[in-house]
Amino acid sequence: MTRVNIAGLSEHVGAGVELQGWLYNKRASKKLQFLEIRDGSGIVQAVVSKDDAPEAFESASRLSQECSLRVSGVVARHPKHAGVFELAVTALTELSAASDYPISPKDHGTDFLMDHRHLWIRSRRQHAILRVRHAIIRAIRDFFDGRDFTLVDAPIFTPNACEGTSTLFETDFHGQPAFLTQSGQLYMEAAAAAFGKAYCFGPTFRAEKSKTRRHLAEFWMVEPEVAFMELAEDMQLAEEFLSEVVQRVVRERSDELERLERDVSLLKKVEAPFPRISYSDAIALLKDNGKDAKVGDDFGAEDETIISSAFDRPVIVHRYPAELKAFYMKRDPVDARLSLCMDVLAPEGYGEVIGGGQREDDLAALEAALTHHQLPKEAFSWYLDLRRYGSFPHAGFGLGVERLVAWICGLPHVRETIPFPRMLTRLTP
Ligand code: 4AD
Ligand code: MG
């Protein structure tokens, strides 16, 4: 008997096969039992007939949700649904029982489900989300690999802050204080000088005290950095990158997005070029919409929603006041109060998915910025070397994978976008 997986059943119509998996759900009539079996690759309905397979029928009646099992049967096309297959069971063995599985098909509260995340990821919806996440990550890597970027991994233990000292997780590194990385950017700047085009992709950490639907304590970020690239090209790279990734995932994960009831017509509009507006245009737009906004304000989630609602695709907001941004941003030569930075805001209220810009490449200006931000110069000595030895204009950005997953899947909260979320109030499972 051929051992198959559920995703491959279409190639075995009419043949006898064996598969192994878990019982997802079950319903029964007097003469028939309908088992929904999942094996990770898909879910199939297995029909057990009392008349045709009395022993299997008897075993099936004792199975409970999420027991592991092995079944043999003959593959048939579903009588009504094209592309769907069924299994007419001939034999069935329970491999390991699962009594009182905590997640029943009824509704559970979010905290309960989050506490059982290690089991919850077996369910259809979570499975679909994590499959979309995988496709996003693959598309991200292919985009940069296809453009000859070199992958350069950044460290996770770091001696200094990148994105401000207020969100650092401190840890003990052999008796010396160290921080979990907030961003690999500073290391990618070193990599850009070595490879021209580089990117890193890994977990990053922020001790954000805010409990919002967009913030995780641990999230994955992809960060490209390019030598001799300035802000205008950085924006172009970001829009080409984002539109290619979104379009590819919409194509490759149409089944999962349908299961998530995502309206993909909105995602299909995500095509470069994206509209670009300056920070001051964005302030004016907020005022036009009745918000009490003034230059110098940072944008909250509601502001970002108002700004992005004015467009049918992501919008790039550039040149924020330098006071709102990190120490490494290059000042705008046209107006030194502004940074040569940009954020990409996703539509439908998803807000900032990308942040980046051009880096300060002048040694004296960067030293002054460190002093202004009260950052210790010694810890950044290696970073200043990049300006001491052949400084060069360069730019890049960071995309937070979970916010992209939330947007593409149409989820209200980032907690379901990562297999095991770490949030202000969650460290388990
Ligand atoms: O805007 P951020 O803080 O930018 C940086 O870290 C730069 N050093 C990146 C660079 O230029 N190489 O973060 C970048 C992105 C945000 O746009 C958002 O998508 C995501 O990272 N992000 C978070 N995602 C989930 N939870 C959080 N707490 C996040 N903080 C940032
Ligand atoms: Mg940002």
Side-chain angles (χ1 to χ4, degrees):
M1 186 127 343
T2 331
R3 176 77 58 80
V4 297
N5 67 21
I6 293 169
L9 283 180
S10 64
E11 284 156 38
H12 301 277
V13 176
V17 300
E18 178 182 278
L19 55 89
Q20 305 185 99
W22 297 263
L23 183 66
Y24 192 64
N25 212 341
K26 168 174 108 164
R27 62 195 170 83
S29 66
K30 247 192 192 137
K31 296 259 182 177
L32 294 174
Q33 299 201 55
F34 301 93
L35 311 179
E36 273 191 287
I37 298 172
R38 56 169 201 88
D39 71 348
S41 79
I43 297 184
V44 67
Q45 174 163 277
V47 185
V48 197
S49 152
K50 191 172 186 175
D51 294 341
D52 301 342
E55 265 181 55
F57 189 88
E58 178 53 31
S59 317
S61 64
R62 289 192 303 266
L63 299 177
S64 60
Q65 192 192 346
E66 287 303 324
C67 69
S68 53
L69 45 76
R70 181 183 303 130
V71 288
S72 307
V74 178
V75 182
R77 288 181 199 285
H78 191 282
K80 286 185 196 134
H81 304 293
V84 178
F85 303 89
E86 286 190 342
L87 198 68
V89 175
T90 50
L92 186 157
T93 314
E94 181 182 52
L95 300 176
S96 184
S99 44
D100 304 323
Y101 185 69
I103 306 179
S104 57
K106 70 165 195 205
D107 275 350
H108 296 282
T110 303
D111 271 342
F112 178 88
L113 291 169
M114 275 293 160
D115 286 342
H116 294 85
R117 184 69 176 162
H118 50 295
L119 302 175
W120 191 24
I121 55 175
R122 300 180 185 192
S123 76
R124 252 196 186 105
R125 190 180 149 78
Q126 298 307 313
H127 192 267
I129 294 169
L130 294 180
R131 295 252 310 152
V132 172
R133 177 185 170 99
H134 174 210
I136 289 173
I137 291 173
R138 185 165 57 197
I140 288 172
R141 289 196 181 283
D142 285 348
F143 179 86
F144 291 115
D145 295 346
R147 291 190 177 210
D148 292 327
F149 280 65
T150 300
L151 174 72
V152 180
D153 302 310
I156 287 176
F157 284 119
T158 59
N160 44 246
C162 178
E163 293 300 322
T165 48
S166 64
T167 63
L168 282 172
F169 275 110
E170 190 171 340
T171 170
D172 176 86
F173 189 78
H174 300 305
Q176 179 189 333
F179 307 105
L180 300 185
T181 185
Q182 295 170 309
S183 158
Q185 179 196 317
L186 308 186
Y187 298 94
M188 288 310 100
E189 293 184 50
F195 300 95
K197 298 189 278 185
Y199 75 100
C200 63
F201 196 169
T204 51
F205 307 86
R206 306 266 171 111
E208 320 247 20
K209 289 288 182 283
S210 48
K211 210 176 157 185
T212 79
R213 57 198 196 85
R214 297 179 184 180
H215 289 92
L216 292 164
E218 178 178 312
F219 64 98
W220 284 67
M221 182 152 54
V222 60
E223 298 181 87
E225 192 73 27
V226 181
F228 304 105
M229 184 171 82
E230 302 195 356
L231 180 63
E233 292 165 275
D234 195 31
M235 296 196 270
Q236 201 181 330
L237 181 67
E239 70 194 359
E240 286 171 8
F241 162 68
L242 198 55
S243 48
E244 267 191 51
V245 169
V246 170
Q247 293 318 322
R248 184 167 155 194
V249 172
V250 166
R251 277 198 310 276
E252 289 183 355
R253 287 291 183 261
S254 57
D255 288 352
E256 284 79 3
L257 292 171
E258 195 181 319
R259 192 168 311 144
L260 296 166
E261 297 175 350
R262 181 65 166 118
D263 179 357
V264 291
S265 70
L266 297 170
L267 295 174
K268 286 186 176 156
K269 291 183 190 157
V270 180
E271 287 286 2
F274 299 162
R276 290 159 170 61
I277 62 170
S278 67
Y279 167 87
S280 49
D281 292 342
I283 292 286
L285 202 153
L286 288 173
K287 281 188 185 151
D288 289 348
N289 282 274
K291 282 282 289 191
D292 177 24
K294 58 179 187 316
V295 170
D297 292 350
D298 207 354
F299 301 138
E302 195 197 328
D303 303 315
E304 289 182 355
T305 302
I306 296 173
I307 297 164
S308 64
S309 304
F311 306 93
D312 71 344
R313 62 189 77 195
V315 53
I316 306 182
V317 183
H318 56 85
R319 294 181 170 80
Y320 288 65
E323 286 309 318
L324 296 176
K325 292 290 179 181
F327 74 95
Y328 53 71
M329 302 269 187
K330 190 170 179 62
R331 299 284 178 127
D332 185 352
V334 177
D335 181 345
R337 289 168 302 175
L338 306 179
S339 285
L340 292 178
C341 64
M342 58 109 185
D343 281 354
V344 180
L345 310 184
E348 301 176 72
Y350 284 95
E352 180 198 333
V353 286
I354 287 180
Q358 194 172 333
R359 322 307 187 185
E360 185 53 75
D361 48 23
D362 179 77
L363 179 61
L366 191 55
E367 282 175 331
L370 285 173
T371 307
H372 181 73
H373 285 260
Q374 296 180 317
L375 291 165
K377 228 177 256 174
E378 321 76 66
F380 289 92
S381 170
W382 69 268
Y383 183 63
L384 294 168
D385 273 356
L386 305 175
R387 280 73 184 168
R388 290 190 187 108
Y389 305 114
S391 195
F392 56 110
H394 59 288
F397 60 79
L399 166 112
V401 167
E402 289 73 20
R403 291 199 189 165
L404 181 57
V405 177
W407 168 35
I408 291 185
C409 292
L411 308 177
H413 198 293
V414 289
R415 65 186 159 221
E416 290 177 38
T417 63
I418 184 163
F420 297 99
R422 297 289 173 255
M423 296 179 290
L424 189 56
T425 55
R426 180 163 297 280
L427 183 61
T428 51

